[in-house]
Amino acid sequence: MAMADPLPGSSSTGVWPLVSVIVPTYNRATVLPYLMKALAQQAYPSDRIELIVVDNASSDDTEAVIQAWAAVLPFRVRFYRKENQGPAVSRNFGAARAVGEVLAFTDSDCVPRPTWIRSSIGAIAEGAGLVCGPILPRARAGGPGLLASQLSPSTRDDGLYPTANLVLRRQAFNAIGGFNTRFGLYPWGDLVAGEDVDLAWRLRRFGERPRFVVDAAVDHLATPLTRSQLLLRPIRVQILPYLLRTIPELRRTYLWKGYFVARSRMYFHLAWLGLATAVLLGSWLPLLTVSPWLYYNAITQGTSRSLVRNGHLLKAGAWLLLVAYFELLTTTTLAVSSLRNRRLVL
């Protein structure tokens, strides 16, 4: 896409900086075309973009999909296949082979808006060293249902800086040593998570200024999870107390009231305390503390609200039991991790 009027100060040569888009992937052949089409529609000079796809030993048609798109995309595409050691290793692998002045990280189940790269580069030209933007859930026809991974909407700088939407200067990335590869994979294949938060705050300590850019938005598609990944997903929260040891600012930027993962977590704690009190006192009155949790999960949340409105009360009850299971596993995980790391998160 031809463009004029390069951003003032966007590079030392006065031209649009070369941007290396780095995408780790694993068995995402069915959703990769969404990403490829979105990158082809970027409002940024195509000769100033390169795409690096790092395949973590996929068993589907990932390589064939990338090769087909590489033949028609207006910018250079490089494909690498390696052992699956998690996305942190793969992003470092891609960054080590990048030639761009700017690294733009996104995921293979994401769909960047057309202004993603241009808006991010604009912020960097104005002095930002760490650019993030909205990450918004996006439904797709025939997409996975319950057994799916879906990021919650991110519409502000909450201090997490997910690599679904993260743009930064390659020089600073190299200076701090890239992603910490200790953030890898659990034995059941899910991500340990936290490598993006860790990287971003090391960049901030290094002197890179963060900026949240509304026009640098990325949509996130729901992608399949195995049953074990779904049931064990709450264990990922164990990383929060660990991160607080080096990033205490997360209490202010991310945690609700400085201690809760989300406001709904307070409702769950009220509920189980009420249940325990009711059993100990032999009185039903403390059970009233369960009502905020029931109202929040049965009335205000999309899945349960839809089931209730359509009269599927048994399914709604089963859904609430699953939510209660997630809450209980989250509480147990956080209790253990809080004790281990001496940082309380509820």
Side-chain angles (χ1 to χ4, degrees):
M1 182 179 297
M3 299 188 69
D5 301 327
L7 295 171
S10 57
S11 76
S12 58
T13 60
V15 300
W16 294 87
L18 178 61
V19 177
S20 298
V21 180
I22 299 173
V23 180
T25 188
Y26 177 69
N27 285 342
R28 295 279 174 79
T30 58
V31 296
L32 276 167
Y34 292 87
L35 171 64
M36 298 296 109
K37 183 177 180 180
L39 292 176
Q41 296 173 342
Q42 289 297 300
Y44 195 79
S46 57
D47 63 344
R48 307 305 294 164
I49 299 174
E50 69 164 352
L51 172 62
I52 300 173
V53 179
V54 183
D55 179 21
N56 289 314
S58 294
S59 58
D60 62 5
D61 296 327
T62 289
E63 184 169 3
V65 169
I66 297 300
Q67 296 298 347
W69 276 94
V72 298
L73 286 170
F75 45 77
R76 183 187 183 192
V77 179
R78 288 191 280 160
F79 177 85
Y80 300 94
R81 181 180 172 88
K82 56 178 285 298
E83 179 186 357
N84 189 2
Q85 298 170 294
V89 174
S90 295
R91 292 188 184 103
N92 284 346
F93 184 95
R97 288 153 181 80
V99 297
E101 301 167 58
V102 175
L103 305 180
F105 294 99
T106 191
D107 292 329
S108 53
D109 53 0
C110 289
V111 184
R113 302 281 178 89
T115 54
W116 177 53
I117 294 178
R118 180 184 172 90
S119 298
S120 299
I121 293 300
I124 288 176
E126 293 171 356
L130 184 68
V131 182
C132 59
I135 302 173
L136 306 169
R138 174 172 165 180
R140 61 186 176 93
L146 178 61
L147 294 177
S149 168
Q150 181 68 81
L151 291 179
S152 299
S154 175
T155 57
R156 65 179 182 87
D157 182 350
D158 59 7
L160 294 188
Y161 308 107
T163 38
N165 186 356
L166 187 62
V167 181
L168 47 89
R169 297 186 305 114
R170 180 163 65 100
Q171 184 181 18
F173 179 89
N174 291 338
I176 66 166
F179 289 95
N180 186 336
T181 56
R182 289 183 298 174
F183 297 90
L185 297 171
Y186 289 112
W188 55 88
D190 203 1
L191 307 180
V192 172
E195 78 279 0
D196 37 16
V197 191
D198 172 79
L199 174 88
W201 282 91
R202 283 190 287 118
L203 283 168
R204 291 188 62 165
R205 309 277 192 247
F206 183 70
E208 298 294 279
R209 292 196 293 121
R211 182 160 168 197
F212 188 90
V213 179
V214 173
D215 289 336
V218 166
D219 294 333
H220 183 260
L221 300 171
T223 51
L225 292 173
T226 65
R227 185 172 287 103
S228 61
Q229 285 175 328
L230 175 70
L231 294 177
L232 295 173
R233 201 160 183 79
I235 290 178
R236 297 179 76 178
V237 298
Q238 62 85 26
I239 203 65
L240 283 172
Y242 173 82
L243 290 171
L244 281 169
R245 290 164 52 182
T246 55
I247 315 171
E249 294 93 337
L250 290 176
R251 290 205 184 274
R252 172 179 52 83
T253 64
Y254 178 67
L255 295 177
W256 188 71
K257 300 300 183 184
Y259 290 94
F260 295 92
V261 174
R263 182 173 183 172
S264 59
R265 294 284 302 149
M266 180 187 68
Y267 301 147
F268 180 73
H269 287 294
L270 285 174
W272 73 257
L273 285 170
L275 285 170
T277 303
V279 171
L280 289 173
L281 299 181
S283 170
W284 61 267
L285 193 60
L287 292 178
L288 292 174
T289 61
V290 179
S291 56
W293 183 84
L294 285 174
Y295 178 82
Y296 177 82
N297 288 287
I299 305 301
T300 68
Q301 298 304 291
T303 300
S304 52
R305 182 176 66 241
S306 176
L307 291 171
V308 171
R309 285 181 175 177
N310 292 311
H312 302 304
L313 298 183
L314 287 178
K315 289 184 178 179
W319 173 256
L320 286 175
L321 286 176
L322 181 61
V323 171
Y325 160 79
F326 286 147
E327 294 274 27
L328 185 59
L329 183 55
T330 297
T331 298
T332 303
T333 300
L334 285 174
V336 172
S337 185
S338 293
L339 287 171
R340 180 185 299 131
N341 294 287
R342 299 181 181 179
R343 300 293 187 279
L344 179 62
V345 181
L346 298 169

